[in-house]
Amino acid sequence: MTGLLARAEFDRLIDAGTVPAGAFIMSTDAAVTALYADVGFDWVLIDREHGVMDNSDMRAHLMAAQANGAVAVVRVLENNPTLIQQSLDAGAQGIMVPKIETGAMAERAVLASQYRKGGRGMCPVVPATNFTGEGWSAHSRTTNENVLLIPLIETMRGVENVAEICAVDGVDYLFFGLADLSQDLGIDMERDIDQLIVLWEKVATTAHEHGVRVGAPLGYGFDALADFGSLDSDLSTLRTAAQKSIAGFRASSSG
């Protein structure tokens, strides 16, 4: 198995009192992933739901994360077993699945991430196996135990059904998606953040009651209950820095 053992690494950090901090990666350039990992981010989210990267871009990001010691999670476009298997075969250590709303949807995603009957297809000639079937029994067992399958709770239906989602065997982590949830509710993500915090507290409390760890974007009022979270989105961070740079230059040159 390539890279870190994702669940073991997340569990180790959390048990030590550290909140695993991640970044959403939208850029096609794998140097961005290498940079985030090198400066100390614990995990990266390779975004294939909203990002524009293809399979080759994804593979380059996964290699950059592996080389620099960060857990690599891929967000797939939809709850599709083929997309989940493709990402794991390429070397992803975790999968984030959008718009999980029921226990049945969570079960479908978990099954697709596991080497077992009806689940992930067996193929030793892929990057995740270092292109060898040697020690397959140990590899498949270790992979099944350590892959992070992370349902994304980002609709009101998902919030309402979070208990049944948490009850699914193999769901040990969740992520709270405030942007799509605010859109689903027809509210403003920033102006109506108090409403989102109430829903977050319901999701987080229910998850913890089921022994499930839960993550969210940090800095919005979710931090106290978050077991892990995201701090940055690469291109929005670059845009903010670029705006600051040009604004500072214009102000000084006009003076």
Side-chain angles (χ1 to χ4, degrees):
M1 183 176 182
T2 59
L4 296 169
L5 300 179
R7 180 177 283 119
E9 179 65 7
F10 267 49
D11 287 349
R12 181 188 69 80
L13 290 169
I14 294 169
D15 290 343
T18 298
V19 175
F24 276 50
I25 305 297
M26 314 291 288
S27 169
T28 58
D29 189 347
V32 175
T33 286
L35 185 154
Y36 273 94
D38 187 62
V39 302
F41 278 69
D42 303 299
W43 63 284
V44 290
L45 189 287
I46 311 305
D47 196 343
R48 298 201 70 192
E49 182 187 12
H50 295 295
V52 296
M53 61 190 75
D54 59 19
N55 287 338
S56 295
D57 298 327
M58 174 180 68
R59 176 58 184 151
H61 280 291
L62 295 173
M63 289 191 292
Q66 176 187 346
N68 292 278
V71 171
V73 178
V74 171
R75 178 160 68 172
V76 292
L77 179 61
E78 60 182 351
N79 189 8
N80 182 313
T82 299
L83 298 179
I84 292 172
Q85 175 176 291
Q86 182 182 68
S87 301
L88 292 172
D89 282 352
Q93 291 112 25
I95 301 292
M96 186 177 288
V97 187
K99 294 182 173 64
I100 295 297
E101 299 182 321
T102 66
M105 294 172 72
E107 288 173 356
R108 173 181 169 89
V110 169
L111 182 61
S113 73
Q114 295 285 306
Y115 286 119
R116 66 177 193 238
K117 182 178 180 180
R120 179 182 177 186
M122 174 185 173
C123 182
V125 193
V126 294
T129 66
N130 289 325
F131 307 100
T132 177
E134 294 180 6
W136 182 265
S137 178
H139 165 77
S140 60
R141 182 177 62 254
T142 301
T143 299
N144 286 351
E145 291 172 351
N146 281 280
V147 64
L148 283 178
L149 193 287
I150 308 174
L152 189 50
I153 308 301
E154 54 183 347
T155 66
M156 193 60 204
R157 189 180 179 205
V159 172
E160 291 168 347
N161 292 326
V162 68
E164 70 175 61
I165 293 169
C166 289
V168 172
D169 186 24
V171 173
D172 300 313
Y173 284 81
L174 294 177
F175 200 84
F176 185 76
L178 74 162
D180 274 356
L181 180 56
S182 66
Q183 178 173 277
D184 191 54
L185 294 170
I187 63 176
D188 184 271
M189 187 179 79
E190 295 182 355
R191 186 178 62 247
D192 300 314
I193 191 66
D194 288 349
Q195 295 181 49
L196 294 170
I197 289 174
V198 170
L199 297 176
W200 155 252
E201 290 174 348
K202 169 183 167 61
V203 168
T205 300
T206 302
H208 290 155
E209 288 172 351
H210 284 78
V212 172
R213 285 169 163 162
V214 61
L218 302 173
Y220 289 88
F222 308 141
D223 297 29
L225 293 175
D227 299 298
F228 69 107
S230 61
L231 288 171
D232 281 353
S233 175
D234 59 347
L235 294 182
S236 61
T237 299
L238 176 61
R239 178 182 173 87
T240 298
Q243 286 177 318
K244 181 178 179 181
S245 179
I246 191 63
F249 172 74
R250 297 299 186 205
S252 62
S253 62
S254 64

